[in-house]
């Protein structure tokens, strides 16, 4: 009887030790791999490294960043999808990967809702309209009037079809009944150089992307594509204040884990992210990039993805955006 009881206690102890809850309490016990689809140097990459450093200090284990850019994010997503669901592989994702690609591309090798466990948002970024410092456009009204007088004269740069910049320019054209021609570039730097040189009329970009050439005196901010003026740039009007329609263009970036990652591990990750996003030094560094830290619960991120998938599908049809 005593032996049987001992065996039962031993089995219970092993089961408890292997349970997700206890694994979550002990997590992380080794370095975490952080896969990212973004090229080095872009705002999401820089922000990820800032946050990863803070999380490494919090948990006493490093987060090793592994960049797999290109192929619409498929390389990074494929690696994350096949990784063990134990919390030691995370994937950096943006709204384009999770809500645009699945509705715009004819074939996507992942399901944003079934293949990954939402962990948390970690930043959002508003977009602004930029033009050359030497351009004749002093406001959105000037830009729109130029497009009305000379259809197809106004061009704008985007990094890829279906990007927030592409949606922003296409939405502006539709809302104003004008024709504005998108020009797609392989590298972000090419876009802003083209704008600064006057090769294209404008771009829709984050502060982190456009500010260097603004500071260099080669580009200027026409308007912010947000509901209100940005606190750090109070002199820059909203699109509506600058003579355009109500227009909001922003992006968000978050973290997901492979499907099947234990809930306790996801919660531990979520709590850590929420904690470091309150760090004053991180907030200051994010502000310099023109982004705002923003955490969420896993459920909130899941809801955001679900709702935006439906909204993006409708937007793509309305704007007539297709992959040629």
């Amino acid at each position: 009887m005593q032996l049987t009881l001992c065996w039962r206690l031993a089995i219970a102890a092993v089961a408890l030790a292997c349970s997700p809850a206890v694994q979550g309490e002990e997590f992380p016990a080794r370095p975490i791999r952080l896969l990212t689809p973004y090229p080095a140097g872009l705002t999401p990459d820089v922000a990820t490294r800032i946050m990863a450093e803070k999380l490494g200090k919090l948990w006493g284990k490093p987060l090793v960043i592994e960049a797999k850019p290109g192929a619409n994010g498929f390389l990074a997503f494929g690696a994350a999808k096949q990784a063990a669901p134990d919390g030691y592989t995370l994937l950096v994702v943006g709204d384009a990967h999770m809500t645009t690609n699945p509705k715009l591309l004819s074939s996507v090798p992942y399901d944003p809702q079934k293949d990954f466990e939402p962990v948390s948002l970690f930043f959002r970024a508003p977009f602004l309209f930029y033009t050359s410092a030497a351009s004749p456009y002093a406001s959105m009204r000037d830009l729109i009037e130029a497009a009305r007088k000379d259809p197809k004269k106004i061009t704008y740069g985007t990094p890829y079809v279906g990007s927030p910049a592409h949606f922003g320019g296409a939405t502006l054209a539709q809302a104003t009944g004008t024709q504005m021609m998108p020009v797609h570039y392989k590298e972000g730097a090419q876009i802003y150089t083209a704008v600064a040189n006057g090769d294209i009329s404008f771009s829709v970009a984050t502060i982190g992307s456009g500010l260097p050439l603004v500071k260099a005196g080669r580009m200027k901010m026409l308007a912010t594509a947000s509901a209100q003026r940005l606190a750090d740039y109070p002199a820059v009007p909203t699109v509506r204040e600058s003579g355009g329609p109500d227009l909001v263009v922003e992006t968000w970036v978050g973290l997901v884990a492979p499907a099947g990652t234990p809930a306790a591990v996801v919660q531990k990750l979520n709590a850590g992210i929420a904690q470091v996003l309150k760090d004053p030094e991180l907030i200051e560094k994010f502000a310099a990039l023109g982004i705002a830290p923003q955490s969420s619960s896993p459920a909130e991120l899941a809801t955001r993805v679900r709702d935006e998938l439906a909204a993006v599908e409708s937007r793509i049809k309305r704007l007539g955006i297709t992959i040629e």
Side-chain angles (χ1 to χ4, degrees):
M1 181 70 69
Q2 291 181 344
L3 183 60
T4 301
L5 178 59
C6 288
W7 272 109
R8 287 179 178 174
L9 291 173
I11 292 172
V14 170
L16 179 61
C18 294
S19 71
V22 173
Q23 287 179 357
E25 292 170 2
E26 297 175 350
F27 179 89
R30 62 180 188 271
I32 295 173
R33 182 172 65 148
L34 197 53
L35 295 168
T36 171
Y38 296 102
L42 292 187
T43 296
D45 171 72
V46 177
T48 296
R49 294 177 187 278
I50 293 170
M51 184 180 66
E53 181 182 4
K54 294 294 183 182
L55 286 171
K57 291 180 179 179
L58 175 67
W59 291 327
K61 302 294 179 184
L63 278 74
V64 180
I65 296 175
E66 187 176 328
K68 290 183 175 292
N72 291 299
F74 292 175
L75 298 178
F77 273 69
K81 179 180 174 180
Q82 296 175 13
D86 54 11
Y88 288 99
T89 297
L90 301 177
L91 175 65
V92 181
V93 300
D95 51 348
H97 307 113
M98 298 295 282
T99 65
T100 302
N101 284 353
K103 296 299 183 181
L104 182 62
L105 304 179
S106 59
S107 178
V108 177
Y110 61 88
D111 186 311
Q113 295 176 290
K114 295 179 180 179
D115 291 334
F116 302 101
E117 300 288 349
V119 176
S120 178
L121 287 175
F122 79 90
F123 80 77
R124 59 180 179 79
F127 279 69
L128 291 88
F129 282 80
Y130 296 87
T131 189
S132 169
S135 82
Y137 313 122
S139 67
M140 294 298 294
R141 181 178 289 105
D142 293 342
L143 188 68
I144 295 165
E145 286 303 317
R148 285 176 175 156
K149 290 179 181 178
D150 191 352
K152 298 186 180 181
K153 172 186 177 181
I154 300 300
T155 56
Y156 61 97
T158 88
Y160 54 87
V161 176
S163 64
H166 188 191
F167 278 138
T171 301
L172 176 66
Q174 185 192 56
T176 56
T178 59
Q179 296 184 56
M180 300 181 180
M181 310 304 294
V183 181
H184 306 295
Y185 292 81
K186 291 183 178 180
E187 299 291 338
Q190 295 175 331
I191 301 173
Y192 314 121
T193 299
V195 172
N197 292 340
D199 298 330
I200 55 177
S201 307
F202 71 93
S203 65
V204 190
T206 62
I207 294 169
S209 296
L211 191 58
L213 284 175
V214 172
K215 289 184 174 180
R218 301 191 61 202
M219 290 202 313
K220 60 187 177 184
M221 299 174 174
L222 279 184
T224 174
S226 54
Q228 300 176 336
R229 296 193 184 200
L230 303 179
D232 292 335
Y233 300 90
V236 181
T238 65
V239 171
R240 182 177 179 81
E241 290 173 335
S242 188
D246 280 323
L247 182 59
V248 174
V249 184
E250 67 173 17
T251 190
W252 55 261
V253 174
L255 290 172
V256 298
T261 300
V265 172
V266 170
Q267 289 299 331
K268 179 71 177 290
L269 291 165
N270 181 273
I273 292 167
Q275 182 173 337
V276 301
L277 290 181
K278 297 175 183 178
D279 183 281
E281 183 182 21
L282 179 145
I283 294 172
E284 182 178 353
K285 289 182 176 180
F286 273 27
L289 294 172
I291 61 179
Q294 180 176 332
S295 62
S296 72
S297 69
E300 288 170 339
L301 179 52
T303 298
R304 178 181 288 259
V305 170
R306 182 199 66 200
D307 292 349
E308 289 191 15
L309 278 168
V312 165
E313 184 171 26
S314 174
R315 187 186 312 157
I316 288 171
K317 292 179 180 178
R318 184 176 74 252
L319 298 177
I321 293 176
T322 59
I323 297 289
E324 298 179 356

